[in-house]
Structure formats: structure tokens, C-alpha cells
Amino acid sequence: MNMTRLIQSRTIASPLGRVLTAASASSPAANASGKMCPTSQQNYATAAAGGAGPLALQRQPVPKLADTMQKLVRSIEPHVDGDTLAGTKRAVEKFTVPGGIGQKLQSLLEQRAAEKDNWLADWWLRCAYMEYRDPVIVYSSPGLVFPRASYKTLDEQLQYAAKMVSAALAYKMLIDGGKIKPEMMGKVPLDMSQYEKIFGTCRIPGKERDSVQYNPRSRHIVVACNNHYYRLPVFTAAGGIVSERQILAELKKIAAKEGNSRAAPLGILTANHRDSWAQAYETLMADATNRASVESIQQALFVLSIDRELPQKQGTDHIVTASDLLIHGGGSAANGGNRWYDKTIQLVVAPNGINGLTYEHSPAEGQPIAVMTDFLLEYIGSGKCLNTMDQAELSAGAVKLDFNVTPAVRSEIDQAAGFVDKLAADIQMDYLHFTDYGKGFIKTQRMSPDSYIQMAIQYAFYRLHHVPGAHYESAQNRMYLHGRTETIRSCSVESVAFARAMLEPKRDGRSKLEAMKAAINAHKAYVSMAIQGYGVDRHLLGLKLTAKENGLALPELYADQGLQKSAHMRLSTSQVASRYDAFMCYGPLTQDGYGCCYNPKEDDMWFGVSAFRSNKDTDLARFRVSLQEALREMYEVLVVYGEKPKGKL
């Protein structure tokens, strides 16, 4: 398993300040595989609403070496036998011996932390994303499925699309005006800089390493329709947002012109393996017309994809269809080419009420996107209209972006289409809408809803596969300046004991409850450490990259069998909360694993789940059922032996 893949994250956890700087880093760094990766991307700092300077954010700490090693051994224990665990302990002892390599790396990492606003931020962007070579679809970019809308005709689809664009632009104006309240974790302010990177940002392919381009002051969007692209100005000369009526008029013109004419699926190039896309990018950009069109897409605030209908697979429903649509577009023959996957935000409006968004993960975690989603859905549902600039007509309408599809470009498209179609056929998307109860009931039991759900996922995996599943949950580190994520290692000694207790027929309910509480409390304790930057994985990554940057040999600890097993995350999970019947979905971290993202609401829960069809060690349909049964079995224990809820649930 590519270690870079394992250090990626999808996080949860909000609106804001202003861009202060666009500073470039100057020192080289190393990626997780050991290659040197020069730095050139920009970093944003966030100011308080009054513009007086940066928010009072702390610097991300470097955990103590002994503490991390102790947590590491404990997290490895569920996955190995006694002999292997003894070997891990010997490797840890060798790594941490006084005057040894571990202490040397720790000292160097602490020096880095003293010199930088955030010792991890530059490394994380470059090595978790820019150096990562698998395609962004399935492996990195999530989809966010919105509730099904009521439109049925093309005109209604375009009306909904215009409303969605209007809502997104209204949100952009709130961000620019500093009108979104800065978020807090208790009394601790959170870094808001990710919100500045939602609009106008684009990933740029490069050989071995991509880069990120920021265009926060862009004044246009791009509309994709039948694989054609149009540049649509969305601001008036006075700086206001154009009206929804004007946006709709332009969308109707585009749809009328391109409704029956499909262009070559040029956008499928952006879904290809990153090195292949980088090669095609050079070919594409050699032509001046193509270069101008690509730059217009890259500089847009976001892309709106007006999709064709995606045929519903037998035995599935519109929600599965929506998941497929937002992860890969249904492949090159459907809507996979009606995209530009390098854009941070792509709003997708398909026929029959199916809609949502897909986003390129590198600039931001899931929660800023989820917060924006709630704003969009509330705006659309309320009938409000913040931009009523009808009296100020557009200075120019939508302009088609032309491309010269040469034989060389066509060859690149064909190669990308074959690759993407194979991947789209392999990834299986599904969902669980669990309606028996929601986080409201869990809170009556004085339990953390997130920890409870994490233990349900752990139990679901164990009852299906009869082995512990190494389990990745992302935790936000936004209490620190430029903070991103830490890994919550949800599989623990306590979670395995809980799963085994639930499966023992002769175990009484009270002892099952005690095992459940112990597992939930152990998870909650790890969460508390992780959100403060005191987990295991980012510290291990920092020490590893420190060795690479300083020309030192990679310590033997990183080849330890126990460490490798604990890092083979067969469960990739995150909570992305929304007030609506919406959920995020993405592919698994490992070929023999599952993706599982969830939205716990007060009285129900949504889960987006995934697995690879080609892998014989996973079964998505059975995992979905196992998850449902795990939640029900835990409830059965609680209603008999747990807290007695007051009032009606």
C-alpha cells in the first residue's frame, strides 16, 4: 500500500476572515516515499473580522517521543500476535535509545517547529496531495450527495442550477465580506483559512508533483454542458452578483446550443492518473487556443456541470446513481468528461432531481464544504434571493471555450477514458439510511455520538470478517494555525474486546454494556488527544520526513511488521455533518477495505459506503447489512441496561 495514500485524510469538523499573505515556502521537503519535493504553493493566513491581524491561534506542537511510541505500541496490539508485538517493542526501544536516531530526529523536528508557523502544513499539502499520483477520483476527491430535488424537466433542471449558482455566489460574498462568524472549539478559536480556499482554487498537474493555483478574486464561473465549456461572468461592473434571472437566461442559451451536440470528453483527462494527466497537460497546453481555455477553467470560481441522465443500475436507486455521478460521473460515455476534477468545487445538477457536488480535497477538509452545503440547501429551499441586480445587465454573456482536439490530444483522451472507465466499473458505491434512531438517542445514554458510531463501524467489520480492522478516522487540527488533520486510530484493544463480547452468546447484557462503554471511552480519549495534535500518525510522518530531508537513513521502525499492519487502514471513515438528508462519500483507502462517511442527525443517520468489486476480501452489501445490525444490537443492549431516556425520543 502506497504510504502517501495512507497519510491522506478526509476531515470534519467552519465562516471567517481575510487573506493576508500569499507567501511561498523556500525550503525543500521530502514526501512519504522519500523523494524530495520542492515547495512553491501559497499559504493563506486568516485575520480577525476587524483586520487587526492573525487570530490568536497556537502553533501546532511536536508530541513527546516517548508518548507517541507508547500510543503506537498500544494501537498495534489489536492487529498482531505476541511474537510480532514483542518485535515491535524491540524496534521501538532501538528507535528511542538515548542518543539514538529517534531522539536525533525528534530534536531536528522540534527545531523545524520553532521556525515555522506550522511544522506540518507545507509537508502535508505537498506529500499527502501534490505528490500523490493516483487519480483524484475515487482515491481522493469526495462527492457530496444532496437531497433529491423536485425538478423533472430540462427547464426545471436549469432553474435549479441557476438557484444553486446564485446561492454559491451569495456564500462567496459572505466570505469576502468577513460576515461569517469565526468558529470556536469551546473557548479556543479555530483556523478559518480553509474557507478562503474554497472558491477560485485549482490543482495544476505536474510531473511527479502537482501545484495549487489560487484565484479568490475571480469574476467568472465555468459551465460544463455535454462536454463543452463556457466562461460565464457572474459579477456586474459595480461588483455585485448578477441576478439569478440572468444566470438562468445564460444557462438556457448554453443548453439550447449544446443540448444535442457532445464534444470529445476532454475533462476525462483530469480524472486520469496524475502522471498521465501531467503528460497530456503538456500536449494540451502547447496549443494557444487550448491554453487560453484551460486557464479560464483554472481561474474560475467554480465549475457548474449540467449533466445528462445517468442510467440507473439494476438493483439500485437514485441515491446510488447520485453517488456514482459525484464520484466519477459514470465514466467517459456518461458525464465523466463533463467535469474538470482539478477544480476545488464542482456543482453538479443532473436530470430527475439528482444533484450535489464533488470537490478536490487538497485545499480544504470536508467540514467547510459541508457548512457551505447547508448554506446552499437553506438558500435554495427558502426562496430567498440576495442578488437582485437585474437593472445592471451583464456586459457580456457566456463565451464558449474552444479546444483544438489534435490526434495527439485525442490519443490522450482515449487512454484516460479506458483507465477511468475501468476504475468506475470497479468502485462500488452504496449508502445506508438508518432510521431506527439517531444521535438524539445516543446522547440520552451520555455517550459521544461520534465515538458510538465509530464503535458500531468497528463491530460491523469484526462481525463480518472476524478480525480487527485497522481503522482511520480523521480529526481536525484547526485549533492550530494552518492546522489540517490527525488520524484517530479507532481500532483499539477495547474495541476488539467490545466486538467479541457482543458476539458471545452466553455473555449477559450488562457485561456487553460495560465493554461498549469501555470501547467508546477509549475512542473518546484518543479523539481528545488527536484534535490537540497528540496522535501517532502525523508525528511518525514528521520524523520520517525529517530523516529524508536531512539525508538520514530511514529508521528500521518504519519497516516493522506491526506498524505496517496497523497502518493498513481497511476502514476509512469520517463524520461530515449536515442538517439535511445529505452525505459525503468516497473510495476506500486500501484495496481490501471500505470507505464509510456518515452524517448523524437527531433521529436518523446517513452513511455513504464503498468498496472495490474486484477484491474478494470485501463484500459491500454484507458490510452495509452488518453495520445496520451492529447499530440495532447496540440499541438492544442500551434499552435494557442503559440510561432510561426521559420523555419521547
Side-chain angles (χ1 to χ4, degrees), residues 209-222:
R209 182 183 63 87
D210 296 348
S211 58
V212 180
Q213 182 184 107
Y214 301 101
N215 300 281
R217 302 295 172 249
S218 175
R219 298 173 65 84
H220 72 276
I221 68 170
V222 162

Side-chain angles (χ1 to χ4, degrees), residues 149-163:
S150 59
Y151 62 80
K152 295 182 180 179
T153 67
L154 175 60
D155 277 352
E156 291 172 342
Q157 179 185 356
L158 296 178
Q159 288 171 17
Y160 190 88
K163 176 68 76 173

Side-chain angles (χ1 to χ4, degrees), residues 410-642:
R410 168 58 72 177
S411 177
E412 297 285 5
I413 291 173
D414 290 344
Q415 187 276 327
F419 176 86
V420 171
D421 290 346
K422 184 177 180 181
L423 180 58
D426 192 22
I427 188 66
Q428 182 181 6
M429 307 302 299
D430 206 342
Y431 73 99
L432 170 63
H433 184 199
F434 186 78
T435 58
D436 292 20
Y437 61 93
K439 65 181 180 181
F441 168 75
I442 300 169
K443 287 185 288 187
T444 69
Q445 300 301 300
R446 301 181 183 179
M447 294 175 174
S448 158
D450 185 71
S451 295
Y452 180 97
I453 294 169
Q454 284 286 307
M455 292 306 97
I457 296 170
Q458 266 289 296
Y459 176 38
F461 185 93
Y462 193 92
R463 73 195 295 279
L464 178 60
H465 294 290
H466 308 294
V467 294
H471 186 159
Y472 182 110
E473 181 189 9
S474 50
Q476 64 164 346
N477 285 155
R478 286 174 50 221
M479 65 187 294
Y480 301 120
L481 184 63
H482 304 311
R484 292 293 298 256
T485 68
E486 173 60 278
T487 299
I488 301 166
R489 292 186 163 215
S490 293
C491 183
S492 64
V493 172
E494 292 84 0
S495 74
V496 176
F498 160 60
R500 288 173 176 164
M502 292 293 288
L503 290 173
E504 287 185 27
K506 296 182 180 180
R507 248 337 236 279
D508 66 273
R510 197 168 300 280
S511 66
K512 290 180 179 180
L513 175 60
E514 292 307 312
M516 185 191 306
K517 286 181 176 179
I520 289 172
N521 288 337
H523 179 269
K524 188 177 177 181
Y526 202 110
V527 170
S528 179
M529 293 186 296
I531 62 176
Q532 296 178 74
Y534 293 107
V536 167
D537 292 80
R538 300 300 178 266
H539 190 194
L540 283 176
L541 175 64
L543 295 170
K544 183 176 185 179
L545 296 182
T546 298
K548 299 297 183 184
E549 186 176 86
N550 288 275
L552 301 172
L554 187 65
E556 293 178 12
L557 174 65
Y558 289 89
D560 176 70
Q561 185 180 353
L563 175 57
Q564 294 295 321
K565 284 191 174 183
S566 72
H568 186 75
M569 301 292 188
R570 296 186 67 185
L571 287 164
S572 175
T573 69
S574 57
Q575 178 188 155
V576 179
S578 170
R579 300 192 307 272
Y580 296 88
D581 288 330
F583 65 90
M584 192 170 281
C585 54
Y586 43 70
L589 274 175
T590 64
Q591 288 295 314
D592 60 347
Y594 301 96
C596 185
C597 191
Y598 49 95
N599 173 20
K601 298 173 65 188
E602 197 68 17
D603 299 312
D604 61 330
M605 311 179 205
W606 286 89
F607 296 84
V609 294
S610 65
F612 289 106
R613 287 187 171 90
S614 59
N615 191 276
K616 304 305 179 184
D617 294 325
T618 55
D619 188 321
L620 189 60
R622 291 180 65 202
F623 176 75
R624 179 187 176 280
V625 171
S626 186
L627 178 57
Q628 179 173 261
E629 292 304 311
L631 289 164
R632 286 175 174 168
E633 290 174 20
M634 291 168 71
Y635 178 85
E636 289 169 2
V637 170
L638 289 170
V639 293
V640 176
Y641 298 99

